[in-house]
Amino acid sequence: MSTRHLIERLEQSGVLSKEEFVELISTSADEDKEYAKQRARDIGDAYFGKKIYVRGLIEFTNYCKNDCLYCGIRRSNGNAERYRLTEEEILSCCEEGEQLGFRTFVLQGGEDAYYTDERMVELIHKIKERHPDCALTLSIGERERESYEKFFRAGADRYLLRHETASDSHYRQLHPSEMSLAHRKNCLRQLKEIGFQTGCGFMVGSPGQTAETLAEDFLFIHELQPEMVGIGPFIPHQDTQFANEAQGALEQTLFLLSLLRIMQKDLLLPATTALATIHPTGREQGILAGANVLMPNLSPVNVRDKYSLYDGKVCTGDEAAECRNCLQRRVEGIGYEIVVERGDHPSRH
């Protein structure tokens, strides 16, 4: 039986039961997926027009205290070549980014104890003083509420913290015992309460993932009502115990992107670098499935291959300007346009 009626229900009511999500995710035929893609694109166009927002990604440290089983910068990976960008290098990335038309910078790094609250606050102040018209997103993992409040007061606008899976048992398959899903979800709720535009997200096709765990992801996202959701295919890294696991599938990732757009119509939804890594036109296909954000890399070229969360990451050799121009052409080729705007969530306008 076609699951089209479930897609229609999701569009109308904004949520399904866990059992219905399981059915939708596990039994949809190709024509259902095509229907979801078309609805997602129509909804995205209705809310955002043909605009695609770009965020300049600055991967500023690959030190991490965590030992997540899937991640190439996990603390126990002795093969990782560690680095930290200096404050001058970070500010220089922002300077170049603004000249290239970026109005959002994303500071992303491992959970690095060197970046104390004080250092982060000073960095946020400097970026916002020099680029008052730009938004600043942080993606630096789990901290205490007090730290998040300091970052928000200093001027950070958004915070990305992928929950990775909303199933407790699945979370334990992907993370060491000292990490907890309850704490991660609590961090996300605190970020929302503080006033950040908040982003969560998950890997598609990670070891142990099932239609049931994905249904839990959708229910958690519905409960949290984040402003952003980042999903991308799981890609194995050679220096982890998941090195020989299968990578996540393009088709499944695109279908889930469409369902997210249908469920929460005004989401900021990236077409991720991981999508482009598993398929040459992955980003374009992501946009056509409902995504409306791209996050090209502004990090200095000499450190990009060191920020290796998974194998084979694309654009590690392109200068930021080359990457920006290439993306512009690609996006225009499918009928969309990259805009020079902060690209805040519609609720913040």
Side-chain angles (χ1 to χ4, degrees), residues 93-150:
C93 290
C94 295
E95 193 62 48
E96 182 187 10
E98 184 159 26
Q99 287 168 13
L100 289 171
F102 292 94
R103 294 295 177 269
T104 293
F105 307 121
V106 182
L107 281 186
Q108 185 171 67
E111 294 197 17
D112 181 356
Y114 172 82
Y115 286 98
T116 58
D117 289 357
E118 290 65 38
R119 282 196 170 107
M120 285 307 304
V121 164
E122 191 177 334
L123 187 56
I124 294 163
H125 276 309
K126 285 186 176 168
I127 292 171
K128 294 296 282 193
E129 276 166 17
R130 296 184 189 197
H131 307 281
D133 298 333
C134 297
L136 180 60
T137 302
L138 302 179
S139 181
I140 53 174
E142 297 180 19
R143 301 257 182 153
E144 294 310 309
R145 184 184 183 114
E146 188 186 354
S147 305
Y148 291 148
E149 287 172 343
K150 286 178 188 170

Side-chain angles (χ1 to χ4, degrees), residues 12-61:
Q12 286 155 10
S13 63
V15 72
L16 300 172
S17 69
K18 182 176 176 181
E19 294 69 31
E20 287 170 326
F21 270 125
V22 169
E23 183 187 343
L24 178 57
I25 289 162
S26 56
T27 65
S28 289
D30 288 348
E31 61 265 27
D32 300 322
K33 291 175 180 172
E34 192 54 43
Y35 173 72
K37 175 179 161 183
Q38 192 52 57
R39 288 307 305 137
R41 198 56 271 158
D42 290 347
I43 291 165
D45 288 357
Y47 276 78
F48 298 98
K50 295 291 185 182
K51 293 179 175 182
I52 302 298
Y53 303 119
V54 287
R55 325 296 202 196
L57 186 60
I58 303 168
E59 296 163 335
F60 69 107
T61 173

Side-chain angles (χ1 to χ4, degrees), residues 235-238 273-274 276-278 308-316:
I235 302 175
H237 189 286
Q238 61 193 2
T273 304
T277 299
I278 67 165
S308 171
L309 306 182
Y310 50 80
D311 288 344
K313 190 167 97 172
V314 292
C315 292
T316 52

